Amino acid sequence: MKSTREVVDYTREVVPEASPPPAIDEGIYGWMVRLTPHVDLEKQMARDAIIHRQSLEHAIAMGDKNVIRYEECPNCSCWSLFWRYEEDQAACVNRYCTDRLGRPNLWTLGQIAEHHVAAKYAARRTAT
């Protein structure tokens, strides 16, 4: 499975001495998280973005395009994203959030996941 291979490759990249991955894919994310708590913040954020992106990919593959509605736009931070199958990207429908030609901003699942994780980590740093 492509997503499992990505998780194993990433984990082995940041933790070369990692133990073998679980034989059953169900534990692959837990394996990756357990082996990477000591890596620097940037690598932890990349790890979490992989997990989040893959969860979005799986949901959309199962027909749940509404999952994207729970993500904020990386540009305007509004809850205005809609999935566009024809582009295989999310579009922001906020009329003020457009590119330089006036078209809706489009976002890949990777960009959305990175924004989601960055916001989560920023909230952790500012929590009191």
Side-chain angles (χ1 to χ4, degrees):
M1 182 179 222
K2 179 183 162 201
S3 56
T4 302
R5 173 63 25 213
E6 180 182 15
V7 169
V8 171
D9 290 347
Y10 177 80
T11 304
R12 293 214 184 278
E13 178 184 321
V14 299
V15 184
E17 69 280 0
S19 61
I24 301 173
D25 289 346
E26 292 172 6
I28 197 74
Y29 296 122
W31 172 78
M32 180 168 69
V33 171
R34 274 192 316 279
L35 289 172
T36 57
H38 66 285
V39 299
D40 63 56
L41 183 62
E42 185 177 308
K43 290 179 180 171
Q44 288 182 34
M45 290 173 70
R47 173 201 66 203
D48 293 351
I50 289 170
I51 294 169
H52 192 67
R53 177 184 47 79
Q54 287 187 1
S55 73
L56 293 172
E57 288 172 351
H58 293 302
I60 289 170
M62 294 301 296
D64 183 8
K65 64 182 180 184
N66 290 328
V67 71
I68 210 70
R69 302 276 302 144
Y70 299 102
E71 300 292 333
E72 55 175 53
C73 174
N75 185 56
C76 70
S77 297
C78 288
W79 303 95
S80 52
L81 295 178
F82 284 84
W83 187 248
R84 295 177 71 171
Y85 284 101
E86 54 281 351
E87 284 96 5
D88 202 28
Q89 292 181 319
C92 180
V93 296
N94 179 341
R95 67 182 182 158
Y96 300 109
C97 186
T98 58
D99 66 12
R100 59 184 174 77
L101 299 175
R103 297 177 300 206
N105 280 314
L106 298 176
W107 305 99
T108 66
L109 293 177
Q111 292 169 316
I112 293 167
E114 288 171 6
H115 175 75
H116 177 94
V117 169
K120 181 176 82 171
Y121 276 80
R124 283 184 190 169
R125 282 195 310 271
T126 59
T128 56

